[in-house]
Amino acid sequence: MIWEVFRQEQAGEYHTHCGNVHAPDREMALTFAQIQHGRRKPTHSLWVVPQPEVSEVDDEAATFGGTTDKSYRWVMPYNRVDPEFAEEIAESEAEQRDADEQRSEG
Amino acid sequence: MDLDTVKERAGPREFGPGDDMPEEYRKAATRMIQFHANSEIMGAYLEKPFIRQSPSLDRKLAFSAKTQDEIGHGQLLYRAAESLGVKTREQMLDELAAGEGKFLNCFHYPMTEWQETPMIAFFVDGAAMRRQATLKRTSWEPYAHAMDKICFEEGFHIKHGEDIMRELATGSKRGQELLQEAFEEWWPRILQFFGPTDDDSTHHDFSADVGLKRMGNDELRQAFLNAYIPKAEKYGLEIPEKPRIVEEDGTYEVIEEDLDWEEFFTVAKNEYPSGREQINGRKEAQEAVAWVRKSLDDWEHAGTAGASTQRAAD
Ligand SMILES: [Fe+2]
Ligand SMILES: [Fe+2]
């Protein structure tokens, strides 16, 4: 069976997908995951998930973010007010601008 | 894990569902996150009527998006609370409906006029955002992860709220007057957002000791006032004479005795009349859509819902 592997670099971070292993059972999948994915890159924790248990939807089947203009739910159009007055608002603004840029590059 | 170990290790995002946490920790975290989740939901119900009452299509779209976000925040937070193993989401929603679930003071008051909307969407969301930014470093990892997503989204809420205020403040004389009226009505409640000053309690605050809370109420209130009083002034709002606010070396101090703490504690106990109405209004909505939850549950328990029931070979 194929097992998908998710690695968390440090406590508190997100487990992100990093590959898969071929193993006959859960215990060996955990061992193989350590050998293949936990040795060089910093690793705090690994998850293994049986591949058939993972369901997928991709951008061919779905239009992520919808088909209509939803700019009103972003910070960008509200450009007559200044987010810099509070650190946490400026940070949220920066994160949204980043995400929007990455989306339009894709 | 014993309590001393918890206090020793209590760094940002330190503990998660895989850790064996003592009951005191799990209960305190549940109380805190449930309060937060309830507040997101009750805030959404307060703003919901403005999807209909918005004066333009832009505002209507933004209010529907914001309300949807807030309900989503509530759901994320109930998940984070559930992961402590103390209460289920269903239990927490039922407690809210029964008037046992506690939530933010500001969401116990009615909001009926358009001019009032920036009081929530700018000031209250802004105060919440100040606190939430510090909670990205809470010790319960699922709570911190919920904060990542919530803080990402909130920038839009606050800018949208400020934009409404800007529009009103630069519009007709009548609009400006109504904005000032709304501000005077809401300002004391907003000042009470962070609760009474906690000079005496900080050192013995359990949730601070175990890293759930990262900043005391006094410090949060201070940071909020430093950023938001200048904003209010920028839009020509006059800060009411009472409660007195003493400014010294660029920091503000609220004179506590000028605020109505009896009302605050009545609100906190869910005994304030308009708050009860809000609670009951949401309860009715919860009952009205019970059939949706039931059909989802039936489907899940029939074991036919998509997920492969065959366990992977262990
Ligand atoms: Fe929210
Ligand atoms: Fe919000």
Side-chain angles (χ1 to χ4, degrees):
Chain A
M1 164 159 339
I2 306 297
W3 301 72
E4 296 299 338
V5 183
F6 299 78
R7 188 181 64 240
Q8 181 195 45
E9 296 201 349
Q10 275 175 24
E13 289 183 350
Y14 292 81
H15 282 79
T16 49
H17 186 246
C18 60
N20 54 34
V21 291
H22 193 151
D25 64 21
R26 192 178 296 271
E27 202 182 322
M28 292 191 75
L30 284 167
T31 305
F32 293 171
Q34 289 174 57
I35 294 166
Q36 287 194 19
H37 298 287
R39 279 190 168 167
R40 287 171 195 83
K41 296 248 177 95
T43 304
H44 178 72
S45 150
L46 292 171
W47 287 346
V48 295
V49 181
Q51 194 178 57
E53 294 295 322
V54 177
S55 307
E56 185 188 2
V57 57
D58 64 14
D59 57 10
E60 249 170 58
T63 314
F64 297 114
T67 51
T68 52
D69 177 10
K70 290 202 169 51
S71 52
Y72 56 85
R73 56 161 69 219
W74 293 81
V75 292
M76 287 76 83
Y78 303 97
N79 54 15
R80 282 173 290 194
V81 298
D82 174 21
E84 298 297 328
F85 74 104
E87 195 186 320
E88 63 278 7
I89 312 301
E91 197 176 316
S92 175
E93 165 113 7
E95 286 174 5
Q96 287 198 24
R97 285 188 184 277
D98 271 2
D100 186 55
E101 253 167 54
Q102 284 165 19
R103 275 159 52 97
S104 47
E105 278 164 17
Chain B
M1 202 182 300
D2 63 55
L3 218 45
D4 289 333
T5 316
V6 173
K7 287 179 185 173
E8 225 168 86
R9 280 183 50 189
R13 308 182 179 215
E14 184 69 26
F15 311 118
D19 293 303
D20 170 35
M21 302 307 289
E23 202 185 353
E24 294 97 316
Y25 180 93
R26 290 188 291 115
K27 280 192 169 159
T30 303
R31 198 179 312 120
M32 183 171 167
I33 305 171
Q34 182 179 3
F35 181 95
H36 195 162
N38 289 345
S39 302
E40 299 280 356
I41 302 288
M42 295 310 291
Y45 273 86
L46 202 59
E47 290 187 299
K48 188 185 71 162
F50 291 91
I51 301 172
R52 187 170 282 177
Q53 281 169 242
S54 283
S56 71
L57 186 57
D58 284 352
R59 300 295 189 209
K60 191 185 285 291
L61 287 167
F63 257 106
S64 86
K66 177 180 197 283
T67 310
Q68 190 185 29
D69 281 354
E70 305 296 14
I71 297 288
H73 296 171
Q75 297 290 0
L76 276 176
L77 288 164
Y78 285 125
R79 280 295 307 122
E82 258 188 333
S83 66
L84 287 148
V86 176
K87 288 179 188 175
T88 63
R89 179 176 63 173
E90 198 178 21
Q91 249 175 307
M92 293 184 273
L93 288 170
D94 286 345
E95 284 178 12
L96 187 56
E100 291 155 15
K102 303 295 167 62
F103 56 96
L104 270 177
N105 71 319
C106 292
F107 301 147
H108 288 255
Y109 297 96
M111 181 165 73
T112 53
E113 303 307 316
W114 177 249
Q115 290 77 14
E116 291 177 276
T117 58
M119 303 307 137
I120 297 283
F122 182 64
F123 290 106
V124 177
D125 270 48
M129 191 54 177
R130 184 83 284 277
R131 176 187 272 151
Q132 287 172 159
T134 69
L135 292 174
K136 283 187 175 185
R137 292 164 52 244
T138 180
S139 61
W140 187 244
E141 179 198 271
Y143 194 17
H145 284 183
M147 282 309 118
D148 287 340
K149 184 168 191 287
I150 289 175
C151 291
F152 172 89
E153 293 176 358
E154 280 292 333
F156 145 57
H157 298 184
I158 287 140
K159 286 187 80 184
H160 170 240
E162 186 179 341
D163 200 55
I164 297 173
M165 188 157 77
R166 180 197 58 76
E167 194 175 62
L168 290 165
T170 54
S172 69
K173 186 96 205 322
R174 182 79 191 122
Q176 290 171 15
E177 282 166 12
L178 291 170
L179 181 68
Q180 177 67 30
E181 255 172 52
F183 183 66
E184 281 170 25
E185 188 174 21
W186 281 87
W187 184 236
R189 305 164 184 171
I190 293 164
L191 291 175
Q192 287 177 315
F193 177 101
F194 295 105
T197 49
D198 57 7
D199 286 337
D200 310 326
S201 62
T202 15
H203 299 294
H204 309 286
D205 192 331
F206 179 79
S207 44
D209 289 345
V210 296
L212 283 167
K213 233 167 73 172
R214 284 295 166 202
M215 208 183 258
N217 286 340
D218 284 350
E219 237 179 308
L220 288 170
R221 188 189 306 101
Q222 197 55 251
F224 170 75
L225 294 174
N226 285 343
Y228 286 79
I229 285 185
K231 274 285 179 182
E233 287 168 343
K234 178 187 168 184
Y235 291 109
L237 289 171
E238 256 175 70
I239 313 289
E241 260 169 43
K242 282 229 168 161
R244 286 164 293 167
I245 296 176
V246 185
E247 190 185 350
E248 212 177 295
D249 308 327
T251 59
Y252 301 95
E253 199 200 330
V254 185
I255 306 298
E256 288 244 325
E257 61 191 40
D258 288 357
L259 288 159
D260 187 345
W261 294 102
E262 205 180 302
E263 179 175 299
F264 179 84
F265 288 111
T266 308
V267 162
K269 281 186 276 182
N270 289 346
E271 282 168 8
Y272 200 69
S274 54
R276 290 228 64 105
E277 256 174 65
Q278 295 289 118
I279 293 165
N280 290 333
R282 197 207 68 89
K283 180 182 171 206
E284 280 163 26
Q286 181 173 333
E287 283 163 3
V289 292
W291 65 274
V292 178
R293 288 190 300 279
K294 187 178 178 306
S295 57
L296 292 175
D297 284 347
D298 290 351
W299 181 243
E300 183 178 351
H301 294 127
T304 44
S308 136
T309 44
Q310 203 191 331
R311 294 302 310 159
D314 268 296

